[in-house]
Amino acid sequence: MPYVRSVNVGGPQEVTWLGRPVVTGIFKRPVEGRVRVRRHNLEGDGQADLEKHGGEYKAVYAYAREDLDFWAGELGRDLSDSAMGENLTTVGLDVTGAVIGERWRIGSALLEVVQPRRPCFKLGLRLGDPDFPQRFGPAARPGAYLRVLEEGELGAGDEIVVEHRPAHGVTVGLVAYAYFHDKSLAPRVLAAPELAPGARQTWERFRRHAG
């Protein structure tokens, strides 16, 4: 059974990156015990740039331990849980293959997959590698942003029960691949009605331009 290996939270902090100060919430740490899942985030978690991070459609970010291990091999160094700034480090769940609109029951919370991550420079900051975002996106191992359908509590060790999987088959991996490699797939991406509204607007533009 898939499960949550760690629950990771952290608030905004100022760091120096490439010679300038940056405020970021990407430095998260595993926490013990039960964590409250709220509509826009996990209790104790925070984001610095609320235009690009957080909110209803980026309330929780999940990344697979298996994908962290892939990147550890690519980078030639160990990567700890939370290395991608994720809130939930999962085991035994194909996060890349998760379908947009898929619903996960974790503890007493119900979460819905709504979009993949598109990397910004802060991912390079987190890993100490300014070129890493350019590698992360095209690899199509984006992790999944989740919205909260039912608030509750969860913790490390909780099983992840997939309660619903839409039949359209549009996965977070497909959306990420389409964005970085083939935007002509826009009609396929838009077949997922559960796609986050902001992402849907972007893909509607891609479809119009392709036409």
Side-chain angles (χ1 to χ4, degrees), residues 3-4 6 8 28 42 58-65 67-68 82 84-91 93-96 98 104 106 111-113 115-117 136 141-147 160 172:
Y3 68 94
V4 175
S6 69
N8 316 299
K28 304 186 188 301
L42 300 183
K58 294 182 180 179
V60 179
Y61 178 52
Y63 204 76
R65 181 64 245 183
D67 288 328
L68 287 172
S82 81
M84 298 297 165
E86 74 273 13
N87 298 115
L88 305 178
T89 308
T90 68
V91 170
L93 182 69
D94 182 5
V95 177
T96 300
W104 301 349
I106 308 177
L111 308 173
E112 182 179 61
V113 175
Q115 61 186 321
R117 178 190 198 162
F136 180 89
R141 294 172 181 260
Y145 276 119
L146 312 167
R147 73 176 179 126
I160 304 171
V172 293

Side-chain angles (χ1 to χ4, degrees), residues 87-166:
N87 298 115
L88 305 178
T89 308
T90 68
V91 170
L93 182 69
D94 182 5
V95 177
T96 300
V99 175
I100 301 295
E102 192 169 297
R103 295 178 179 180
W104 301 349
R105 175 71 64 181
I106 308 177
S108 58
L110 184 63
L111 308 173
E112 182 179 61
V113 175
V114 290
Q115 61 186 321
R117 178 190 198 162
R118 283 166 46 192
C120 71
F121 77 94
K122 290 181 179 178
L123 187 56
L125 181 161
R126 176 66 179 83
L127 294 178
D129 180 354
D131 296 325
F132 184 72
Q134 284 70 49
R135 299 178 64 181
F136 180 89
R141 294 172 181 260
Y145 276 119
L146 312 167
R147 73 176 179 126
V148 178
L149 297 182
E150 296 177 13
E151 296 185 340
E153 291 183 341
L154 51 72
D158 282 355
E159 293 182 353
I160 304 171
V161 178
V162 179
E163 290 194 345
H164 171 71
R165 180 177 286 123

